[in-house]
Amino acid sequence: MGFSALVASALCTFLLPLLLFLAAVKLWDLYCVSSRDPSCPLPLPPGTMGLPFFGETLQMVLQRRKFLQMKRRKYGFIYKTHLFGRPTVRVMGAENVRHILLGEHRLVSVQWPASVRTILGSGCLSNLHNGQHKHRKKVIMRAFSRDALQHYVPVIQEEVSACLARWLGAAGPCLLVYPEVKRLMFRIAMRILLGFQPRQASPDGEQQLVEAFEEMIRNLFSLPIDVPFSGLYRGLRARNIIHAKIEENIRAKMARKEPEGGYKDALQLLMEHTQGNGEQLNMQGLLCSPNQEKQLDMEVLEQLKYTGCVIKETLRLSPPVPGGFRIALKTLELNGYQIPKGWNVIYSICDTHDVADLFTNKDEFNPDRFMSPSPEDSSRFSFIPFGGGLRSCVGKEFAKVLLKIFTVELARSCDWQLLNGPPTMKTGPIVYPVDNLPTKFIGFSGQI
């Protein structure tokens, strides 16, 4: 082969793919620019759109908080990007978030990534719209009323107390608390929300459900490609395991006339309502300082003002989910920029907490900051651990009750020491400690 042939071969092998890649990047840039609404005089927010098709999804998934912090420092409180196959604007700050959350059904509508919609299902509360969402939320809220929560308190207290006794009796110098807490919270949720009794599941069966739930959550945000070993495939398989167990429990409940355990769990309340109104029960819809020696109840818990402040401060620093997804129903204007119709909008909870002017010394853990009343109007969107507006978390009061009971029982049962000091937290997609929280527990009798 002659020299000219070698050069031609090299050009075809290396130069042509490079030129095609550069052309694809240029076309991608032109597409991103042309997708702005020409009828709106405002510019698109600053930012970058990443690689063709993939956008900046891979960087966000791999780097998480580091990637988002870099974007915030470079572009401010509103910037454009391309995530999960869609052009996206990420929004933070109390005033900007207020505009988005209060614009539900008028400016924006909920739209989670395709993988989330597929795994959770179209009938899940978070995927419903307008009248369907309003009706379903009203039904589900019956299971989280104050009267319902009152019935749940003794069950939660029983589970937490038994768990702490196991921790104190565990052999070894330390316990990995994070996986233990996940198991405890899952067990409480299964009893309270779905009526599973402790005798109904073996330790192996319970662990299988815990692992299935973790697998489902881990793969919620994945590429929408359902092939073996893909994230979506694993998430769907885990969801099916959970659905099968719930359906088995529903059939058992429908065969009984009286609830077990002396209280009505959330599933029982929802079944009674749907049956009384001739509605069909949908699996995807369901998935989704006083004397401390007193028996806990709602009245006692409501008096624990400072405990509530400790929980709020924890949620401020480490909100359980990083944000929420919306889609622009029409081109809207926000803080001098346009968000074109059809673009995704992500409102950031963690960044909004970080930048809130309402909080001083933001990195300091200081529950006292919540002892004084917060300013009304837009400043209330400076603290949004459970979202806000029409789609605020339906189970937020249940979560607060559970966290208060856990805190009270922990404080009056034992002392503890985090062996690695304050934990480093990561998000994937929920917040978690990277070291699993190795902890030494000491009973007040002095016994480890």
Side-chain angles (χ1 to χ4, degrees):
M1 182 181 293
F3 178 75
S4 59
L6 287 174
V7 171
S9 177
L11 288 176
C12 291
T13 304
F14 301 106
L15 186 58
L16 184 59
L18 177 61
L19 291 175
L20 289 174
F21 175 76
L22 293 175
V25 171
K26 184 63 176 178
L27 289 172
W28 177 253
D29 289 338
L30 291 173
Y31 159 74
C32 295
V33 171
S34 64
S35 61
R36 70 178 297 276
D37 186 346
S39 66
C40 179
L42 298 177
L44 290 171
T48 55
M49 305 298 273
L51 296 173
F53 179 72
F54 293 102
E56 296 183 315
T57 304
L58 294 178
Q59 297 98 303
M60 195 275 289
V61 170
L62 294 175
Q63 297 178 340
R64 295 284 179 181
R65 197 72 182 268
K66 181 180 178 181
F67 170 78
L68 298 177
Q69 288 175 338
M70 178 273 292
K71 286 286 190 179
R72 189 179 82 198
R73 287 194 300 268
K74 191 171 183 179
Y75 300 115
F77 290 3
I78 305 176
Y79 59 84
K80 69 175 183 286
T81 179
H82 200 282
L83 299 173
F84 306 106
R86 302 279 300 177
T88 301
V89 172
R90 201 160 186 273
V91 172
M92 65 200 73
E95 184 59 31
N96 295 328
V97 168
R98 181 191 69 83
H99 195 73
I100 297 299
L101 292 180
L102 297 187
E104 186 74 30
H105 305 320
R106 180 174 52 87
L107 300 176
V108 298
S109 182
V110 68
Q111 178 158 300
W112 292 89
S115 58
V116 178
R117 299 197 304 271
T118 301
I119 292 174
L120 296 185
S122 59
C124 178
L125 180 65
S126 62
N127 289 329
L128 295 179
H129 298 85
N130 300 317
Q132 282 187 317
H133 174 266
K134 182 178 180 180
H135 173 71
R136 181 68 58 78
K137 185 172 183 178
K138 184 178 180 181
V139 171
I140 293 177
M141 285 301 295
R142 292 167 57 89
F144 298 107
S145 66
R146 191 182 186 280
D147 289 341
L149 293 175
Q150 175 66 59
H151 290 295
Y152 304 157
V153 169
V155 182
I156 299 174
Q157 191 173 6
E158 174 191 330
E159 287 287 347
V160 172
S161 297
C163 180
L164 290 173
R166 290 194 298 271
W167 292 359
L168 286 168
C174 75
L175 190 74
L176 295 179
V177 169
Y178 180 61
E180 290 291 328
V181 167
K182 284 194 295 184
R183 183 164 183 156
L184 168 64
M185 296 303 170
F186 189 81
R187 186 180 178 88
I188 290 172
M190 296 299 275
R191 282 193 67 182
I192 294 295
L193 302 181
L194 301 175
F196 286 179
Q197 297 301 315
R199 64 180 180 277
Q200 286 181 279
S202 64
D204 290 341
E206 182 180 279
Q207 184 62 28
Q208 181 191 28
L209 285 173
V210 172
E211 291 174 356
F213 180 74
E214 291 177 350
E215 181 78 354
M216 185 182 76
I217 295 299
R218 189 162 47 244
N219 291 289
L220 273 179
F221 296 91
S222 55
L223 291 175
I225 303 173
D226 185 10
V227 296
F229 308 111
S230 68
L232 181 60
Y233 176 86
R234 294 195 299 269
L236 288 171
R237 185 176 59 179
R239 182 204 66 183
N240 292 338
I241 293 173
I242 297 171
H243 275 199
K245 190 63 179 177
I246 294 174
E247 289 173 2
E248 175 188 327
N249 197 51
I250 288 176
R251 285 193 295 270
K253 281 180 175 295
M254 297 178 82
R256 294 192 303 264
K257 292 185 178 180
E258 296 296 330
E260 288 187 302
Y263 75 98
K264 291 183 179 181
D265 54 72
L267 179 58
Q268 187 74 35
L269 291 171
L270 294 177
M271 286 176 61
E272 290 179 359
H273 176 83
T274 53
Q275 290 169 349
N277 289 275
E279 299 174 10
Q280 185 177 1
L281 195 64
N282 185 287
M283 288 293 93
Q284 295 170 346
L286 294 175
L287 292 174
C288 284
S289 314
N291 180 0
Q292 287 188 354
E293 297 304 317
K294 291 176 62 176
Q295 181 69 29
L296 295 178
D297 56 27
M298 287 301 295
E299 184 178 356
V300 172
L301 292 173
E302 287 166 352
Q303 295 177 42
L304 296 170
K305 302 299 184 184
Y306 195 75
T307 303
C309 293
V310 171
I311 292 170
K312 285 182 179 179
E313 180 69 343
T314 302
L315 293 173
R316 181 188 72 83
L317 288 168
S318 298
V321 293
F325 285 75
R326 299 291 187 268
I327 186 171
L329 297 176
K330 60 182 180 180
T331 297
L332 58 101
E333 300 179 4
L334 187 64
N335 201 18
Y337 299 108
Q338 67 159 280
I339 301 178
K341 178 181 178 180
W343 279 41
N344 279 355
V345 182
I346 299 178
Y347 73 89
S348 172
I349 293 175
C350 53
D351 285 310
T352 295
H353 289 181
D354 286 348
V355 303
D357 293 332
L358 184 66
F359 305 124
T360 58
N361 301 319
K362 296 180 177 63
D363 294 332
E364 177 186 342
F365 185 83
N366 178 22
D368 289 340
R369 71 174 83 244
F370 286 100
M371 289 298 287
S372 57
S374 299
E376 294 299 323
D377 197 36
S378 63
S379 292
R380 64 192 172 100
F381 289 93
S382 295
F383 179 68
I384 49 172
F386 299 105
L390 296 176
R391 289 187 177 272
S392 61
C393 177
V394 70
K396 62 183 179 181
E397 296 305 322
F398 172 71
K400 292 175 185 177
V401 166
L402 194 159
L403 290 171
K404 275 191 175 182
I405 294 174
F406 179 78
T407 303
V408 168
E409 290 297 322
L410 183 67
R412 72 183 182 182
S413 299
C414 57
D415 199 357
W416 63 93
Q417 178 186 1
L418 295 176
L419 298 182
N420 290 345
T424 299
M425 307 299 289
K426 285 194 173 182
T427 304
I430 60 175
V431 177
Y432 68 95
V434 296
D435 65 353
N436 279 329
L437 291 183
T439 306
K440 180 171 71 174
F441 290 91
I442 304 172
F444 287 134
S445 63
Q447 181 181 2
I448 296 179

